[in-house]
Amino acid sequence: MKALYILFGFLFFISCSESDDDKSKRKMSVSYDKEIGSRIKLLNTDSIQRDSLKVKPNEVDSIVNVCILLSKDVENMQASVTKSNQYFEMLANRHGISPHEFEKIKVGMDLRAVSSILKDNELKFFNLILLKNNRGDLLLHSAE
């Protein structure tokens, strides 16, 4: 009987512990947030953006965060995926970027993968805007 309690205790401990994969994904999310935050600061500087390519980075970030929240609603996953893909396609068309630069999300993807792809697409968008404004040199110095 004691062996059974020990076995259940051991299984409970293993199931509650955080895996290495979870730790790396959490670290990756923190680094995405840091990089995106630095790009938002750069793009909010008036001298960075020309009038023809004016971007509201805080608005883009908030919409991406809404898309991430919507993707967690499993019942409306199709609508969330469609909205997210359309948003990045609209951004690409508005700012003269190839829509193929952004990775498409698909229904049935893991929620963490969806979140990661959306953050990656947001970071790509900010980087492409900086490059389009001939400010690629700032990309190297932005995240310290």
Side-chain angles (χ1 to χ4, degrees), residues 3-40:
L4 191 58
Y5 287 129
I6 292 172
L7 179 65
F8 282 128
F10 181 71
L11 290 175
F12 179 74
F13 177 73
I14 289 175
S15 67
C16 291
S17 64
E18 187 176 33
S19 69
D20 289 338
D21 190 39
D22 290 338
K23 288 179 186 175
S24 67
K25 287 182 181 176
R26 191 168 26 92
K27 287 180 184 177
M28 184 173 67
S29 177
V30 169
S31 67
Y32 269 131
D33 292 338
K34 182 179 177 184
E35 291 290 326
I36 289 170
S38 68
R39 299 313 187 275
I40 289 172

PDB file of all heavy atoms in Angstrom, residues 3-40:
ATOM      1  N   ALA A   3       3.779   1.552  -1.218  1.00  0.00           N
ATOM      2  CA  ALA A   3       4.374   1.663  -2.555  1.00  0.00           C
ATOM      3  C   ALA A   3       3.407   2.347  -3.510  1.00  0.00           C
ATOM      4  O   ALA A   3       3.812   3.132  -4.375  1.00  0.00           O
ATOM      5  CB  ALA A   3       4.776   0.291  -3.078  1.00  0.00           C
ATOM      6  N   LEU A   4       2.116   2.063  -3.355  1.00  0.00           N
ATOM      7  CA  LEU A   4       1.107   2.689  -4.202  1.00  0.00           C
ATOM      8  C   LEU A   4       1.033   4.195  -3.943  1.00  0.00           C
ATOM      9  O   LEU A   4       0.959   4.990  -4.883  1.00  0.00           O
ATOM     10  CB  LEU A   4      -0.258   2.045  -3.940  1.00  0.00           C
ATOM     11  CG  LEU A   4      -1.377   2.395  -4.908  1.00  0.00           C
ATOM     12  CD1 LEU A   4      -0.992   2.029  -6.328  1.00  0.00           C
ATOM     13  CD2 LEU A   4      -2.652   1.707  -4.512  1.00  0.00           C
ATOM     14  N   TYR A   5       1.083   4.612  -2.662  1.00  0.00           N
ATOM     15  CA  TYR A   5       1.099   6.036  -2.329  1.00  0.00           C
ATOM     16  C   TYR A   5       2.352   6.723  -2.872  1.00  0.00           C
ATOM     17  O   TYR A   5       2.289   7.846  -3.378  1.00  0.00           O
ATOM     18  CB  TYR A   5       1.017   6.244  -0.817  1.00  0.00           C
ATOM     19  CG  TYR A   5      -0.339   5.971  -0.231  1.00  0.00           C
ATOM     20  CD1 TYR A   5      -0.487   5.129   0.853  1.00  0.00           C
ATOM     21  CD2 TYR A   5      -1.473   6.556  -0.768  1.00  0.00           C
ATOM     22  CE1 TYR A   5      -1.732   4.870   1.399  1.00  0.00           C
ATOM     23  CE2 TYR A   5      -2.727   6.307  -0.241  1.00  0.00           C
ATOM     24  CZ  TYR A   5      -2.849   5.464   0.838  1.00  0.00           C
ATOM     25  OH  TYR A   5      -4.079   5.226   1.369  1.00  0.00           O
ATOM     26  N   ILE A   6       3.463   6.054  -2.765  1.00  0.00           N
ATOM     27  CA  ILE A   6       4.718   6.614  -3.280  1.00  0.00           C
ATOM     28  C   ILE A   6       4.637   6.752  -4.792  1.00  0.00           C
ATOM     29  O   ILE A   6       5.044   7.772  -5.354  1.00  0.00           O
ATOM     30  CB  ILE A   6       5.921   5.745  -2.854  1.00  0.00           C
ATOM     31  CG1 ILE A   6       6.104   5.846  -1.339  1.00  0.00           C
ATOM     32  CG2 ILE A   6       7.180   6.165  -3.590  1.00  0.00           C
ATOM     33  CD1 ILE A   6       7.143   4.882  -0.777  1.00  0.00           C
ATOM     34  N   LEU A   7       4.087   5.756  -5.468  1.00  0.00           N
ATOM     35  CA  LEU A   7       3.942   5.803  -6.924  1.00  0.00           C
ATOM     36  C   LEU A   7       3.037   6.953  -7.344  1.00  0.00           C
ATOM     37  O   LEU A   7       3.364   7.713  -8.255  1.00  0.00           O
ATOM     38  CB  LEU A   7       3.399   4.471  -7.444  1.00  0.00           C
ATOM     39  CG  LEU A   7       3.174   4.400  -8.957  1.00  0.00           C
ATOM     40  CD1 LEU A   7       4.509   4.520  -9.688  1.00  0.00           C
ATOM     41  CD2 LEU A   7       2.461   3.128  -9.330  1.00  0.00           C
ATOM     42  N   PHE A   8       1.884   7.099  -6.668  1.00  0.00           N
ATOM     43  CA  PHE A   8       0.980   8.199  -6.995  1.00  0.00           C
ATOM     44  C   PHE A   8       1.621   9.555  -6.697  1.00  0.00           C
ATOM     45  O   PHE A   8       1.451  10.510  -7.458  1.00  0.00           O
ATOM     46  CB  PHE A   8      -0.340   8.074  -6.236  1.00  0.00           C
ATOM     47  CG  PHE A   8      -1.280   7.066  -6.824  1.00  0.00           C
ATOM     48  CD1 PHE A   8      -1.828   6.074  -6.029  1.00  0.00           C
ATOM     49  CD2 PHE A   8      -1.627   7.118  -8.156  1.00  0.00           C
ATOM     50  CE1 PHE A   8      -2.698   5.146  -6.566  1.00  0.00           C
ATOM     51  CE2 PHE A   8      -2.492   6.192  -8.715  1.00  0.00           C
ATOM     52  CZ  PHE A   8      -3.026   5.197  -7.910  1.00  0.00           C
ATOM     53  N   GLY A   9       2.332   9.647  -5.603  1.00  0.00           N
ATOM     54  CA  GLY A   9       3.037  10.892  -5.273  1.00  0.00           C
ATOM     55  C   GLY A   9       4.083  11.236  -6.310  1.00  0.00           C
ATOM     56  O   GLY A   9       4.230  12.393  -6.721  1.00  0.00           O
ATOM     57  N   PHE A  10       4.814  10.240  -6.768  1.00  0.00           N
ATOM     58  CA  PHE A  10       5.842  10.453  -7.793  1.00  0.00           C
ATOM     59  C   PHE A  10       5.205  10.899  -9.109  1.00  0.00           C
ATOM     60  O   PHE A  10       5.686  11.833  -9.759  1.00  0.00           O
ATOM     61  CB  PHE A  10       6.656   9.169  -7.977  1.00  0.00           C
ATOM     62  CG  PHE A  10       7.739   9.284  -8.991  1.00  0.00           C
ATOM     63  CD1 PHE A  10       8.879  10.046  -8.733  1.00  0.00           C
ATOM     64  CD2 PHE A  10       7.636   8.647 -10.219  1.00  0.00           C
ATOM     65  CE1 PHE A  10       9.881  10.163  -9.675  1.00  0.00           C
ATOM     66  CE2 PHE A  10       8.636   8.761 -11.162  1.00  0.00           C
ATOM     67  CZ  PHE A  10       9.762   9.519 -10.890  1.00  0.00           C
ATOM     68  N   LEU A  11       4.111  10.228  -9.510  1.00  0.00           N
ATOM     69  CA  LEU A  11       3.419  10.606 -10.746  1.00  0.00           C
ATOM     70  C   LEU A  11       2.835  12.015 -10.658  1.00  0.00           C
ATOM     71  O   LEU A  11       2.865  12.775 -11.629  1.00  0.00           O
ATOM     72  CB  LEU A  11       2.323   9.596 -11.064  1.00  0.00           C
ATOM     73  CG  LEU A  11       2.792   8.210 -11.495  1.00  0.00           C
ATOM     74  CD1 LEU A  11       1.596   7.284 -11.649  1.00  0.00           C
ATOM     75  CD2 LEU A  11       3.585   8.280 -12.780  1.00  0.00           C
ATOM     76  N   PHE A  12       2.313  12.361  -9.490  1.00  0.00           N
ATOM     77  CA  PHE A  12       1.785  13.711  -9.289  1.00  0.00           C
ATOM     78  C   PHE A  12       2.893  14.749  -9.409  1.00  0.00           C
ATOM     79  O   PHE A  12       2.727  15.784 -10.053  1.00  0.00           O
ATOM     80  CB  PHE A  12       1.108  13.812  -7.913  1.00  0.00           C
ATOM     81  CG  PHE A  12       0.563  15.171  -7.614  1.00  0.00           C
ATOM     82  CD1 PHE A  12      -0.593  15.624  -8.235  1.00  0.00           C
ATOM     83  CD2 PHE A  12       1.212  16.015  -6.734  1.00  0.00           C
ATOM     84  CE1 PHE A  12      -1.098  16.875  -7.974  1.00  0.00           C
ATOM     85  CE2 PHE A  12       0.719  17.278  -6.458  1.00  0.00           C
ATOM     86  CZ  PHE A  12      -0.443  17.709  -7.082  1.00  0.00           C
ATOM     87  N   PHE A  13       4.038  14.475  -8.811  1.00  0.00           N
ATOM     88  CA  PHE A  13       5.173  15.387  -8.876  1.00  0.00           C
ATOM     89  C   PHE A  13       5.647  15.586 -10.305  1.00  0.00           C
ATOM     90  O   PHE A  13       5.897  16.707 -10.741  1.00  0.00           O
ATOM     91  CB  PHE A  13       6.324  14.856  -8.008  1.00  0.00           C
ATOM     92  CG  PHE A  13       7.557  15.701  -8.062  1.00  0.00           C
ATOM     93  CD1 PHE A  13       7.600  16.929  -7.432  1.00  0.00           C
ATOM     94  CD2 PHE A  13       8.670  15.283  -8.774  1.00  0.00           C
ATOM     95  CE1 PHE A  13       8.722  17.721  -7.487  1.00  0.00           C
ATOM     96  CE2 PHE A  13       9.800  16.066  -8.839  1.00  0.00           C
ATOM     97  CZ  PHE A  13       9.835  17.288  -8.191  1.00  0.00           C
ATOM     98  N   ILE A  14       5.733  14.508 -11.073  1.00  0.00           N
ATOM     99  CA  ILE A  14       6.180  14.594 -12.469  1.00  0.00           C
ATOM    100  C   ILE A  14       5.174  15.370 -13.311  1.00  0.00           C
ATOM    101  O   ILE A  14       5.547  16.190 -14.154  1.00  0.00           O
ATOM    102  CB  ILE A  14       6.413  13.181 -13.042  1.00  0.00           C
ATOM    103  CG1 ILE A  14       7.663  12.574 -12.414  1.00  0.00           C
ATOM    104  CG2 ILE A  14       6.555  13.227 -14.557  1.00  0.00           C
ATOM    105  CD1 ILE A  14       7.920  11.146 -12.829  1.00  0.00           C
ATOM    106  N   SER A  15       3.885  15.125 -13.086  1.00  0.00           N
ATOM    107  CA  SER A  15       2.872  15.803 -13.899  1.00  0.00           C
ATOM    108  C   SER A  15       2.801  17.298 -13.596  1.00  0.00           C
ATOM    109  O   SER A  15       2.404  18.095 -14.444  1.00  0.00           O
ATOM    110  CB  SER A  15       1.501  15.163 -13.700  1.00  0.00           C
ATOM    111  OG  SER A  15       1.049  15.386 -12.391  1.00  0.00           O
ATOM    112  N   CYS A  16       3.168  17.703 -12.387  1.00  0.00           N
ATOM    113  CA  CYS A  16       3.098  19.117 -12.017  1.00  0.00           C
ATOM    114  C   CYS A  16       4.365  19.885 -12.348  1.00  0.00           C
ATOM    115  O   CYS A  16       4.364  21.110 -12.334  1.00  0.00           O
ATOM    116  CB  CYS A  16       2.828  19.263 -10.522  1.00  0.00           C
ATOM    117  SG  CYS A  16       1.165  18.726 -10.087  1.00  0.00           S
ATOM    118  N   SER A  17       5.440  19.193 -12.640  1.00  0.00           N
ATOM    119  CA  SER A  17       6.690  19.892 -12.925  1.00  0.00           C
ATOM    120  C   SER A  17       6.667  20.449 -14.339  1.00  0.00           C
ATOM    121  O   SER A  17       5.991  19.936 -15.231  1.00  0.00           O
ATOM    122  CB  SER A  17       7.887  18.966 -12.734  1.00  0.00           C
ATOM    123  OG  SER A  17       7.834  17.918 -13.672  1.00  0.00           O
ATOM    124  N   GLU A  18       7.413  21.510 -14.543  1.00  0.00           N
ATOM    125  CA  GLU A  18       7.465  22.176 -15.840  1.00  0.00           C
ATOM    126  C   GLU A  18       8.522  21.504 -16.708  1.00  0.00           C
ATOM    127  O   GLU A  18       9.647  21.290 -16.283  1.00  0.00           O
ATOM    128  CB  GLU A  18       7.818  23.649 -15.625  1.00  0.00           C
ATOM    129  CG  GLU A  18       7.740  24.473 -16.867  1.00  0.00           C
ATOM    130  CD  GLU A  18       8.007  25.934 -16.572  1.00  0.00           C
ATOM    131  OE1 GLU A  18       8.797  26.230 -15.669  1.00  0.00           O
ATOM    132  OE2 GLU A  18       7.429  26.777 -17.256  1.00  0.00           O
ATOM    133  N   SER A  19       8.157  21.175 -17.932  1.00  0.00           N
ATOM    134  CA  SER A  19       9.103  20.509 -18.823  1.00  0.00           C
ATOM    135  C   SER A  19      10.090  21.517 -19.415  1.00  0.00           C
ATOM    136  O   SER A  19       9.867  22.729 -19.378  1.00  0.00           O
ATOM    137  CB  SER A  19       8.351  19.800 -19.952  1.00  0.00           C
ATOM    138  OG  SER A  19       7.772  20.743 -20.821  1.00  0.00           O
ATOM    139  N   ASP A  20      11.171  21.003 -19.951  1.00  0.00           N
ATOM    140  CA  ASP A  20      12.168  21.870 -20.583  1.00  0.00           C
ATOM    141  C   ASP A  20      11.581  22.601 -21.781  1.00  0.00           C
ATOM    142  O   ASP A  20      11.935  23.738 -22.058  1.00  0.00           O
ATOM    143  CB  ASP A  20      13.384  21.046 -21.017  1.00  0.00           C
ATOM    144  CG  ASP A  20      14.205  20.564 -19.839  1.00  0.00           C
ATOM    145  OD1 ASP A  20      14.105  21.182 -18.755  1.00  0.00           O
ATOM    146  OD2 ASP A  20      14.945  19.572 -19.993  1.00  0.00           O
ATOM    147  N   ASP A  21      10.660  21.940 -22.480  1.00  0.00           N
ATOM    148  CA  ASP A  21      10.018  22.561 -23.635  1.00  0.00           C
ATOM    149  C   ASP A  21       9.187  23.768 -23.201  1.00  0.00           C
ATOM    150  O   ASP A  21       9.208  24.816 -23.847  1.00  0.00           O
ATOM    151  CB  ASP A  21       9.141  21.537 -24.345  1.00  0.00           C
ATOM    152  CG  ASP A  21       8.632  22.026 -25.683  1.00  0.00           C
ATOM    153  OD1 ASP A  21       9.407  22.694 -26.404  1.00  0.00           O
ATOM    154  OD2 ASP A  21       7.464  21.748 -26.011  1.00  0.00           O
ATOM    155  N   ASP A  22       8.463  23.626 -22.082  1.00  0.00           N
ATOM    156  CA  ASP A  22       7.673  24.747 -21.563  1.00  0.00           C
ATOM    157  C   ASP A  22       8.563  25.901 -21.141  1.00  0.00           C
ATOM    158  O   ASP A  22       8.248  27.067 -21.378  1.00  0.00           O
ATOM    159  CB  ASP A  22       6.816  24.305 -20.378  1.00  0.00           C
ATOM    160  CG  ASP A  22       5.686  23.378 -20.778  1.00  0.00           C
ATOM    161  OD1 ASP A  22       5.299  23.403 -21.958  1.00  0.00           O
ATOM    162  OD2 ASP A  22       5.213  22.619 -19.909  1.00  0.00           O
ATOM    163  N   LYS A  23       9.684  25.592 -20.510  1.00  0.00           N
ATOM    164  CA  LYS A  23      10.617  26.632 -20.081  1.00  0.00           C
ATOM    165  C   LYS A  23      11.184  27.384 -21.277  1.00  0.00           C
ATOM    166  O   LYS A  23      11.272  28.608 -21.266  1.00  0.00           O
ATOM    167  CB  LYS A  23      11.759  26.026 -19.263  1.00  0.00           C
ATOM    168  CG  LYS A  23      11.363  25.561 -17.896  1.00  0.00           C
ATOM    169  CD  LYS A  23      12.541  24.954 -17.173  1.00  0.00           C
ATOM    170  CE  LYS A  23      12.115  24.343 -15.854  1.00  0.00           C
ATOM    171  NZ  LYS A  23      13.230  23.646 -15.195  1.00  0.00           N
ATOM    172  N   SER A  24      11.563  26.649 -22.323  1.00  0.00           N
ATOM    173  CA  SER A  24      12.145  27.316 -23.491  1.00  0.00           C
ATOM    174  C   SER A  24      11.100  28.167 -24.209  1.00  0.00           C
ATOM    175  O   SER A  24      11.418  29.251 -24.706  1.00  0.00           O
ATOM    176  CB  SER A  24      12.757  26.292 -24.443  1.00  0.00           C
ATOM    177  OG  SER A  24      11.763  25.486 -25.029  1.00  0.00           O
ATOM    178  N   LYS A  25       9.863  27.699 -24.258  1.00  0.00           N
ATOM    179  CA  LYS A  25       8.811  28.492 -24.903  1.00  0.00           C
ATOM    180  C   LYS A  25       8.518  29.757 -24.112  1.00  0.00           C
ATOM    181  O   LYS A  25       8.254  30.806 -24.682  1.00  0.00           O
ATOM    182  CB  LYS A  25       7.550  27.660 -25.081  1.00  0.00           C
ATOM    183  CG  LYS A  25       7.683  26.630 -26.177  1.00  0.00           C
ATOM    184  CD  LYS A  25       6.440  25.845 -26.386  1.00  0.00           C
ATOM    185  CE  LYS A  25       6.653  24.821 -27.489  1.00  0.00           C
ATOM    186  NZ  LYS A  25       5.502  23.966 -27.674  1.00  0.00           N
ATOM    187  N   ARG A  26       8.562  29.651 -22.783  1.00  0.00           N
ATOM    188  CA  ARG A  26       8.343  30.837 -21.947  1.00  0.00           C
ATOM    189  C   ARG A  26       9.473  31.842 -22.148  1.00  0.00           C
ATOM    190  O   ARG A  26       9.236  33.048 -22.263  1.00  0.00           O
ATOM    191  CB  ARG A  26       8.229  30.428 -20.481  1.00  0.00           C
ATOM    192  CG  ARG A  26       7.743  31.530 -19.600  1.00  0.00           C
ATOM    193  CD  ARG A  26       7.343  31.085 -18.205  1.00  0.00           C
ATOM    194  NE  ARG A  26       7.964  29.907 -17.675  1.00  0.00           N
ATOM    195  CZ  ARG A  26       9.074  29.902 -16.932  1.00  0.00           C
ATOM    196  NH1 ARG A  26       9.663  31.029 -16.626  1.00  0.00           N
ATOM    197  NH2 ARG A  26       9.578  28.782 -16.474  1.00  0.00           N
ATOM    198  N   LYS A  27      10.719  31.349 -22.226  1.00  0.00           N
ATOM    199  CA  LYS A  27      11.859  32.235 -22.459  1.00  0.00           C
ATOM    200  C   LYS A  27      11.760  32.889 -23.829  1.00  0.00           C
ATOM    201  O   LYS A  27      12.090  34.067 -23.985  1.00  0.00           O
ATOM    202  CB  LYS A  27      13.166  31.466 -22.339  1.00  0.00           C
ATOM    203  CG  LYS A  27      13.538  31.101 -20.931  1.00  0.00           C
ATOM    204  CD  LYS A  27      14.836  30.335 -20.891  1.00  0.00           C
ATOM    205  CE  LYS A  27      15.167  29.883 -19.488  1.00  0.00           C
ATOM    206  NZ  LYS A  27      16.397  29.065 -19.463  1.00  0.00           N
ATOM    207  N   MET A  28      11.307  32.117 -24.828  1.00  0.00           N
ATOM    208  CA  MET A  28      11.174  32.659 -26.174  1.00  0.00           C
ATOM    209  C   MET A  28      10.115  33.754 -26.186  1.00  0.00           C
ATOM    210  O   MET A  28      10.284  34.786 -26.834  1.00  0.00           O
ATOM    211  CB  MET A  28      10.813  31.554 -27.159  1.00  0.00           C
ATOM    212  CG  MET A  28      10.760  32.023 -28.596  1.00  0.00           C
ATOM    213  SD  MET A  28      10.538  30.706 -29.786  1.00  0.00           S
ATOM    214  CE  MET A  28       8.900  30.153 -29.404  1.00  0.00           C
ATOM    215  N   SER A  29       9.022  33.552 -25.457  1.00  0.00           N
ATOM    216  CA  SER A  29       7.972  34.556 -25.385  1.00  0.00           C
ATOM    217  C   SER A  29       8.485  35.845 -24.761  1.00  0.00           C
ATOM    218  O   SER A  29       8.157  36.939 -25.225  1.00  0.00           O
ATOM    219  CB  SER A  29       6.787  34.017 -24.580  1.00  0.00           C
ATOM    220  OG  SER A  29       5.803  34.996 -24.454  1.00  0.00           O
ATOM    221  N   VAL A  30       9.307  35.717 -23.724  1.00  0.00           N
ATOM    222  CA  VAL A  30       9.887  36.899 -23.068  1.00  0.00           C
ATOM    223  C   VAL A  30      10.809  37.631 -24.032  1.00  0.00           C
ATOM    224  O   VAL A  30      10.796  38.858 -24.111  1.00  0.00           O
ATOM    225  CB  VAL A  30      10.625  36.489 -21.774  1.00  0.00           C
ATOM    226  CG1 VAL A  30      11.452  37.627 -21.230  1.00  0.00           C
ATOM    227  CG2 VAL A  30       9.640  35.999 -20.735  1.00  0.00           C
ATOM    228  N   SER A  31      11.600  36.882 -24.805  1.00  0.00           N
ATOM    229  CA  SER A  31      12.507  37.546 -25.742  1.00  0.00           C
ATOM    230  C   SER A  31      11.733  38.218 -26.874  1.00  0.00           C
ATOM    231  O   SER A  31      12.112  39.293 -27.331  1.00  0.00           O
ATOM    232  CB  SER A  31      13.541  36.564 -26.293  1.00  0.00           C
ATOM    233  OG  SER A  31      12.933  35.594 -27.113  1.00  0.00           O
ATOM    234  N   TYR A  32      10.632  37.587 -27.344  1.00  0.00           N
ATOM    235  CA  TYR A  32       9.785  38.238 -28.345  1.00  0.00           C
ATOM    236  C   TYR A  32       9.244  39.550 -27.795  1.00  0.00           C
ATOM    237  O   TYR A  32       9.266  40.577 -28.474  1.00  0.00           O
ATOM    238  CB  TYR A  32       8.590  37.353 -28.723  1.00  0.00           C
ATOM    239  CG  TYR A  32       8.825  36.439 -29.896  1.00  0.00           C
ATOM    240  CD1 TYR A  32       8.512  35.092 -29.809  1.00  0.00           C
ATOM    241  CD2 TYR A  32       9.314  36.910 -31.097  1.00  0.00           C
ATOM    242  CE1 TYR A  32       8.698  34.241 -30.875  1.00  0.00           C
ATOM    243  CE2 TYR A  32       9.511  36.073 -32.179  1.00  0.00           C
ATOM    244  CZ  TYR A  32       9.199  34.739 -32.055  1.00  0.00           C
ATOM    245  OH  TYR A  32       9.384  33.907 -33.114  1.00  0.00           O
ATOM    246  N   ASP A  33       8.743  39.501 -26.575  1.00  0.00           N
ATOM    247  CA  ASP A  33       8.180  40.711 -25.971  1.00  0.00           C
ATOM    248  C   ASP A  33       9.228  41.812 -25.838  1.00  0.00           C
ATOM    249  O   ASP A  33       8.946  42.986 -26.070  1.00  0.00           O
ATOM    250  CB  ASP A  33       7.570  40.400 -24.605  1.00  0.00           C
ATOM    251  CG  ASP A  33       6.331  39.524 -24.712  1.00  0.00           C
ATOM    252  OD1 ASP A  33       5.711  39.504 -25.795  1.00  0.00           O
ATOM    253  OD2 ASP A  33       5.984  38.869 -23.710  1.00  0.00           O
ATOM    254  N   LYS A  34      10.455  41.438 -25.497  1.00  0.00           N
ATOM    255  CA  LYS A  34      11.533  42.419 -25.359  1.00  0.00           C
ATOM    256  C   LYS A  34      11.880  43.036 -26.718  1.00  0.00           C
ATOM    257  O   LYS A  34      12.018  44.250 -26.840  1.00  0.00           O
ATOM    258  CB  LYS A  34      12.767  41.747 -24.755  1.00  0.00           C
ATOM    259  CG  LYS A  34      13.918  42.690 -24.533  1.00  0.00           C
ATOM    260  CD  LYS A  34      15.099  41.976 -23.904  1.00  0.00           C
ATOM    261  CE  LYS A  34      16.275  42.910 -23.753  1.00  0.00           C
ATOM    262  NZ  LYS A  34      17.459  42.219 -23.231  1.00  0.00           N
ATOM    263  N   GLU A  35      12.009  42.194 -27.720  1.00  0.00           N
ATOM    264  CA  GLU A  35      12.325  42.691 -29.069  1.00  0.00           C
ATOM    265  C   GLU A  35      11.202  43.573 -29.612  1.00  0.00           C
ATOM    266  O   GLU A  35      11.454  44.633 -30.172  1.00  0.00           O
ATOM    267  CB  GLU A  35      12.574  41.513 -30.017  1.00  0.00           C
ATOM    268  CG  GLU A  35      13.827  40.734 -29.741  1.00  0.00           C
ATOM    269  CD  GLU A  35      15.093  41.497 -30.064  1.00  0.00           C
ATOM    270  OE1 GLU A  35      15.088  42.283 -31.029  1.00  0.00           O
ATOM    271  OE2 GLU A  35      16.079  41.314 -29.345  1.00  0.00           O
ATOM    272  N   ILE A  36       9.969  43.132 -29.451  1.00  0.00           N
ATOM    273  CA  ILE A  36       8.833  43.916 -29.941  1.00  0.00           C
ATOM    274  C   ILE A  36       8.756  45.249 -29.214  1.00  0.00           C
ATOM    275  O   ILE A  36       8.517  46.288 -29.831  1.00  0.00           O
ATOM    276  CB  ILE A  36       7.527  43.104 -29.796  1.00  0.00           C
ATOM    277  CG1 ILE A  36       7.515  41.963 -30.818  1.00  0.00           C
ATOM    278  CG2 ILE A  36       6.304  43.994 -29.966  1.00  0.00           C
ATOM    279  CD1 ILE A  36       6.413  40.950 -30.619  1.00  0.00           C
ATOM    280  N   GLY A  37       8.983  45.235 -27.905  1.00  0.00           N
ATOM    281  CA  GLY A  37       8.977  46.479 -27.137  1.00  0.00           C
ATOM    282  C   GLY A  37      10.027  47.460 -27.622  1.00  0.00           C
ATOM    283  O   GLY A  37       9.778  48.673 -27.710  1.00  0.00           O
ATOM    284  N   SER A  38      11.200  46.944 -27.965  1.00  0.00           N
ATOM    285  CA  SER A  38      12.250  47.843 -28.455  1.00  0.00           C
ATOM    286  C   SER A  38      11.910  48.407 -29.828  1.00  0.00           C
ATOM    287  O   SER A  38      12.196  49.565 -30.118  1.00  0.00           O
ATOM    288  CB  SER A  38      13.601  47.133 -28.482  1.00  0.00           C
ATOM    289  OG  SER A  38      13.612  46.115 -29.453  1.00  0.00           O
ATOM    290  N   ARG A  39      11.260  47.592 -30.687  1.00  0.00           N
ATOM    291  CA  ARG A  39      10.850  48.096 -32.004  1.00  0.00           C
ATOM    292  C   ARG A  39       9.751  49.147 -31.859  1.00  0.00           C
ATOM    293  O   ARG A  39       9.730  50.130 -32.600  1.00  0.00           O
ATOM    294  CB  ARG A  39      10.347  46.959 -32.893  1.00  0.00           C
ATOM    295  CG  ARG A  39      11.312  45.855 -33.234  1.00  0.00           C
ATOM    296  CD  ARG A  39      12.666  46.327 -33.688  1.00  0.00           C
ATOM    297  NE  ARG A  39      13.489  45.239 -34.152  1.00  0.00           N
ATOM    298  CZ  ARG A  39      14.246  44.457 -33.396  1.00  0.00           C
ATOM    299  NH1 ARG A  39      14.285  44.641 -32.089  1.00  0.00           N
ATOM    300  NH2 ARG A  39      14.982  43.502 -33.924  1.00  0.00           N
ATOM    301  N   ILE A  40       8.847  48.950 -30.916  1.00  0.00           N
ATOM    302  CA  ILE A  40       7.783  49.931 -30.702  1.00  0.00           C
ATOM    303  C   ILE A  40       8.383  51.262 -30.267  1.00  0.00           C
ATOM    304  O   ILE A  40       7.974  52.319 -30.755  1.00  0.00           O
ATOM    305  CB  ILE A  40       6.763  49.400 -29.670  1.00  0.00           C
ATOM    306  CG1 ILE A  40       5.942  48.276 -30.284  1.00  0.00           C
ATOM    307  CG2 ILE A  40       5.843  50.505 -29.172  1.00  0.00           C
ATOM    308  CD1 ILE A  40       5.034  47.549 -29.310  1.00  0.00           C
TER     309      ILE A  40
END
